Structure formats: C-alpha cells, structure tokens
Amino acid sequence: MNMMSATECLLQMSDEHFELEDYQSGVPRWCTGCGDNAILAAVQRLCRDEGLRPEKTVFVSGIGCSSRFPHYMKTYGFHGIHGRALPVAEGVKMARPDLTVFVNTGDGDCCSIGAAHWIHAIRYNMNITVFLHDNQIYGLTKKQASPTSPIGTKSNTTPRGSYLEALNPLTVTLGVQNVSFVAQAVDWIPELLFDIVKAAYHHKGLSFVRIIQRCPEWLPKSLDPWLHDPQKVQLLNHENGLQLSAGLSRVYKNQLQHDPSDINRAREIASGHDTIPVGILYRNPAVPCYEDLRHSDKLRTPDLTRAGLNAELDKYTVWPQGAEQKVAQSDGARRYRMHTARN
C-alpha cells in the first residue's frame, strides 16, 4: 500500500499550477542555433503541461554540451561523469521510484564511453525517460569524431575523414532484449519534438528518444539537405502512435503508416539511409520494469533509509583502543555501539 506524507497530501489537496518560469534556471550557454535549446524548450513545456512538481523531478546527465541540461532546469539534478548518466539515474529510480527521472546524454557520452551502460539500461527497462542529443560530433571538446559521425566526417581526430560507417542508435537499441520504447525526433520540427517527448514521458518503462540536432559551431551545414528538403524527412503516423496536424501534413508529405507494436518493421525503418524517420518506431508497454520486479511491495520509509545508511557507515567505524564493541540488531540492520569505561 502506498503511504503519503502529510505534506504531500496537502499539496495534492491544493490546486497546483506551474508556469514555464517554475522550471527555468539560468540562461543557457549553448551556441546560438544549437539544437539543445529546442530540446530544453520542449522539455520545460512538458513539465508545465503535465504539472510535474519540481521537487519530485530529477534530471541526470553525463558530460558534454547536452549534459549541461540539469543546470537549466529548476528541479533536482545530477551532473555526473562521462558516460555514467544512466547508472546514476537507475540508482535514483531504484531508491526513489516515486520520482520522475529524466536522462540527457550525448552521442559521445552514451554511445562511446557509456555504451555498456546504455545496453544494460535497455535490458533493465526502468521507468526513466532518456533523451539522446545526437549532433554527430564531440562539441564540448572542440570537434572530434563521435560514434555517430557519418563516414567521411573531417574532424580534429579524423582530418582525412572518418573511416567507419556511423553507429545507428536506433537499430542498436531495437536489438536489445526488453526494449520497450524507441522514437526519433529532429530539433527543427518543434511540434513533433514536443509530441514525441510527451509520448516518451507517458510510457511506463525506459523510453529512448534519439533527437537529431544541429551543431552550428562544428558541423554547421551537415543537416542542411534534410532541413531544406521536407521530402527527406519521413513522418511516422498511426492510430497507436502519433497523429499529425494538418499544418505538418501540408509541409511534410512523405508519411508512413507504421504500427509501433511491430518491432521487425521498426528495425527496417530504422535501418534506412535515404530519409530520416521521425516518430515512434516501437512501443511495448507489457515489458516489466526492473524496479517493480525488485521491490514493488516494499515501502522505503525514512527509518529504513536511516537504518541502511547507519549499517553502511558502521562498516568504516574506527574504534578507540580498549573500547568494548557490542553487536545489536535494530530495524533489521546490523548496528554497532561503543561502550567506553569511565573512571
């Protein structure tokens, strides 16, 4: 049975209403024209529209341009180390399943040093929303080729052009056991970007959204062919997926009816090279979440948390010479108490 604190009860009894300013923190330091700005706007709008309480919302990131995201959200945030955003977020969700947890990671952060964590996060399928900001280059460290850089990309690490075909985050994710939600968005169609972000948030399980974004500093023209020719962008729609507005349909006529429950067709679409598919590729709400499998019936009370912390800290206690150590059991946790003889 879920128990709620008196404070939470009072908050729910009141009619809460949030504005965009309730989620905005500081002025973003991304370059003008950077796709991260569009992603930030979509996520802040989501928080406002869904009425997410800032004190119950967490943004976790690793290292890179995209990973400055928590700095610009007036919520809880954790700016981790390179490639380690996902295990940190999983730890948060396991300890506090009542929190709403988002992850913002880049193509280098997630698909290179963090690749192992990425694969296993898909397997665990915890109820976390993951945004992969993919600008196909290492931006923060000044233009090195990333795993998603197209073949032939000239960078500081590949001055003659990269030799390998780019890694495809969609096909990789769709090939992992327990995958439950995969979508793709682009930063220059804000309406669809928001719709996909919203769908990912409402999915129970790990939602993986690859967002193709522009880098105006290091790859200023790399996405121009898709940006200026709507036919090169293929919108996915379905009654069980996204519903396209009339305005979008007039501009983006290259559309495909795709049932997001069909994983084999999703893999085919993700493997294409001629167009960029935008929409929900795969969704399976039946995949169980790891945190539910592990402790769905356990209530993490303050006393239980305190007992666990004391038990861990007591492992490192340095006892004064001559002190008598006695062992006692308290709340199911092993506790040590020191009794010092006094003259």
Side-chain angles (χ1 to χ4, degrees):
M1 182 178 73
N2 290 329
M3 295 182 64
M4 190 178 297
S5 68
T7 302
E8 288 178 314
C9 289
L10 289 172
L11 285 172
Q12 286 200 358
M13 289 172 63
S14 64
D15 185 17
E16 289 185 285
H17 179 73
F18 297 101
E19 303 291 345
L20 280 176
E21 291 78 10
D22 294 317
Y23 305 99
Q24 296 172 340
S25 177
V27 179
R29 296 178 59 187
W30 294 311
C31 301
T32 301
C34 174
D36 288 329
N37 294 288
I39 300 170
L40 178 66
V43 172
Q44 288 175 336
R45 178 186 167 192
L46 172 79
C47 292
R48 180 200 63 186
D49 290 0
E50 297 295 331
L52 298 186
R53 288 163 52 187
E55 74 277 9
K56 301 282 282 185
T57 306
V58 183
F59 284 84
V60 181
S61 68
I63 294 295
C65 293
S66 63
S67 294
R68 292 194 58 82
F69 207 95
H71 294 264
Y72 308 134
M73 294 298 302
K74 196 182 293 183
T75 63
Y76 281 107
F78 192 103
H79 194 164
I81 60 176
H82 203 196
R84 305 308 191 258
L86 285 165
V88 171
E90 289 165 332
V92 171
K93 192 66 179 179
M94 183 62 73
R96 290 289 305 274
D98 58 306
L99 299 180
T100 300
V101 181
F102 296 92
V103 171
N104 294 86
T105 182
D107 44 297
D109 189 56
C110 175
C111 305
S112 183
I113 191 172
H117 296 303
W118 166 33
I119 299 302
H120 289 287
I122 301 299
R123 278 187 64 229
Y124 287 132
N125 189 46
M126 301 184 74
N127 192 18
I128 297 171
T129 305
V130 179
F131 301 122
L132 171 62
H133 303 224
D134 188 358
N135 60 9
Q136 304 171 355
I137 200 76
Y138 281 93
L140 187 67
T141 50
K142 311 297 187 286
K143 197 179 182 181
Q144 294 83 26
S146 86
T148 63
S149 295
I151 189 169
T153 299
K154 293 184 178 181
S155 70
N156 292 332
T157 50
T158 56
R160 296 179 180 84
S162 55
Y163 296 97
L164 300 177
E165 287 284 352
L167 180 147
N168 186 333
L170 300 178
T171 55
V172 172
T173 304
L174 286 165
V176 180
Q177 192 71 20
N178 289 339
V179 60
S180 69
F181 185 100
V182 180
Q184 180 160 263
V186 293
D187 72 22
W188 60 88
I189 310 180
E191 180 180 337
L192 273 185
L193 173 59
F194 174 75
D195 289 344
I196 292 169
V197 164
K198 182 177 180 179
Y201 163 73
H202 282 287
H203 173 75
K204 189 177 190 310
L206 190 138
S207 303
F208 181 85
V209 182
R210 180 201 189 191
I211 306 173
I212 298 176
Q213 62 160 114
R214 291 165 289 177
C215 178
E217 181 67 23
W218 306 119
L219 295 177
K221 298 184 181 299
S222 64
L223 292 171
D224 279 0
W226 293 271
L227 183 64
H228 299 305
D229 184 358
Q231 285 299 110
K232 288 183 174 292
V233 177
Q234 185 176 62
L235 305 190
L236 308 179
N237 57 36
H238 193 267
E239 59 182 0
N240 296 324
L242 297 180
Q243 304 297 313
L244 304 179
S245 68
L248 275 177
S249 296
R250 283 195 296 270
V251 176
Y252 294 93
K253 301 183 184 301
N254 185 359
Q255 300 179 20
L256 177 67
Q257 283 285 320
H258 168 62
D259 183 351
S261 66
D262 188 343
I263 192 169
N264 292 320
R265 182 61 179 138
R267 289 166 178 161
E268 291 177 3
I269 295 170
S271 300
H273 295 285
D274 296 333
T275 61
I276 293 178
V278 173
I280 301 174
L281 283 91
Y282 182 65
R283 176 166 55 196
N284 181 5
V287 181
C289 296
Y290 187 71
E291 67 270 29
D292 293 338
L293 296 174
R294 284 297 303 274
H295 55 49
S296 60
D297 58 341
K298 294 181 181 179
L299 179 65
R300 191 166 291 267
T301 64
D303 288 341
L304 182 62
T305 302
R306 190 179 301 111
L309 286 171
N310 285 333
E312 290 301 315
L313 293 172
D314 283 345
K315 294 177 182 178
Y316 304 97
T317 300
V318 178
W319 300 98
Q321 187 175 3
E324 180 185 2
Q325 300 181 32
K326 291 185 178 181
V327 178
Q329 296 293 332
S330 174
D331 296 329
R334 190 173 179 84
R335 298 287 303 275
Y336 294 90
R337 293 187 179 180
M338 180 179 66
H339 298 272
T340 304
R342 297 183 179 179
N343 294 329

